[in-house]
Amino acid sequence: MQRDPNEKHDEPIQMDEGEDLVKALLDAIYPDRALAPSDITSFEFMHDLAVIFIEKYDVPAGMFGLAAKFGWVQETALASSATLALDMHTPDSQAQLETLNGRRILQLLSLHRDRRLIFLRDLKSESEQIRWRDSVTHYYNCSWQSVFGSLEWIVFLHAVSEELEKCSLGTGLKDAAFWARPDISRLWEVPCNPACNAPVFKKDDFIKAVCEALDNLPKTIKTLPRSDTSKR
């Protein structure tokens, strides 16, 4: 559970929720405890618990595991989407993953991995998911596809991959600081081909196309799970 960086680590966390919600939260996030179906007393209780997990205490993986455990389809989808903002390699995220069973961990990791691989695949080809026609200076008249083999493009793809590894949502790619990096800025100097002095990309249009493609990537796990408490 993330804390305010200004707080002392040995200070108790102040919680304003009722005893039943606090108990449900702790039962769900601690590996040696379990939340039983009988603990969910109403839809309102379930909704409040989801808000606590995702919005207040930033524990979306914990909410994902809880929703999947009881077969809550919509809540499972919502929680899996919320994990896209996590860096799955940080201690906080790893602690959240430890509360899940192996099947659920694989589902989340697959969602994050697939988003990165799909996006890189689209950037390595003339995929329709990227608005190349709007992004390329001379789409019809030059062999602009030669950029895919340039060193600048390879460096760009590596940087994109690193950003999506840190945050599958791609938040860093929507930050102007990313596009202002010296290694990325060299991309704007690449010509359409050796005989053309025009740059391959229209910078603003290309950045916009990349961000739009990010928003179109899968946002939830592929198969919403059946309840972990149901008989198999």
Side-chain angles (χ1 to χ4, degrees):
M1 190 179 294
Q2 293 186 357
R3 304 192 59 164
D4 188 319
N6 296 319
E7 291 181 352
K8 295 181 179 179
H9 292 292
D10 57 352
E11 287 184 357
I13 297 177
Q14 183 66 37
M15 303 183 75
D16 302 321
E17 293 74 26
E19 179 181 346
D20 54 347
L21 280 171
V22 173
K23 178 181 180 300
L25 175 67
L26 295 177
D27 285 345
I29 64 177
Y30 277 93
D32 59 344
R33 300 170 69 163
L35 186 66
S38 58
D39 294 326
I40 308 300
T41 56
S42 67
F43 176 81
E44 289 74 19
F45 182 90
M46 179 182 71
H47 176 269
D48 291 343
L49 191 59
V51 171
I52 291 172
F53 264 111
I54 297 176
E55 296 184 5
K56 185 170 183 179
Y57 295 116
D58 194 21
V59 194
M63 184 60 213
F64 170 79
L66 177 65
K69 178 178 180 179
F70 294 114
W72 301 334
V73 176
Q74 292 183 339
E75 288 74 18
T76 301
L78 173 65
S80 68
S81 295
T83 69
L84 297 177
L86 296 178
D87 180 344
M88 303 297 271
H89 303 288
T90 65
D92 282 339
S93 296
Q94 293 290 316
Q96 292 186 46
L97 291 177
E98 287 176 1
T99 67
L100 309 181
N101 65 35
R103 182 159 149 251
R104 304 308 179 203
I105 292 174
L106 287 176
Q107 286 176 317
L108 279 186
L109 294 181
S110 292
L111 171 63
H112 288 239
R113 180 203 61 200
D114 290 349
R115 284 174 56 90
R116 181 170 59 87
L117 294 180
I118 290 171
F119 194 60
L120 290 174
R121 179 199 65 195
D122 291 342
L123 286 172
K124 292 177 182 178
S125 65
E126 296 180 59
S127 168
E128 294 181 356
Q129 299 303 316
I130 310 291
R131 292 192 296 104
W132 297 112
R133 287 180 177 82
D134 297 329
S135 307
V136 174
T137 304
H138 297 147
Y139 182 80
Y140 294 104
N141 300 327
C142 284
S143 302
W144 64 271
Q145 296 89 341
S146 61
V147 71
F148 294 148
S150 68
L151 176 61
E152 291 83 357
W153 189 251
I154 294 172
V155 170
F156 169 68
L157 292 180
H158 180 71
V160 168
S161 182
E162 284 187 330
E163 288 295 330
L164 293 180
E165 187 72 27
K166 289 188 296 184
C167 176
S168 186
L169 198 60
T171 304
L173 298 178
K174 296 183 178 182
D175 189 335
F178 172 82
W179 301 99
R181 286 169 40 172
D183 54 336
I184 303 301
S185 296
R186 296 189 184 96
L187 195 60
W188 318 129
E189 302 172 4
V190 179
C192 287
N193 59 60
C196 180
N197 292 323
V200 175
F201 297 113
K202 294 181 285 185
K203 178 180 176 179
D204 292 342
D205 290 328
F206 178 69
I207 294 174
K208 181 179 179 181
V210 167
C211 293
E212 288 179 354
L214 272 173
D215 293 337
N216 291 328
L217 291 173
K219 296 180 177 62
T220 64
I221 57 176
K222 289 181 178 179
T223 303
L224 295 178
R226 61 181 178 273
S227 170
D228 287 342
T229 61
S230 62
K231 294 182 180 180
R232 299 181 183 180

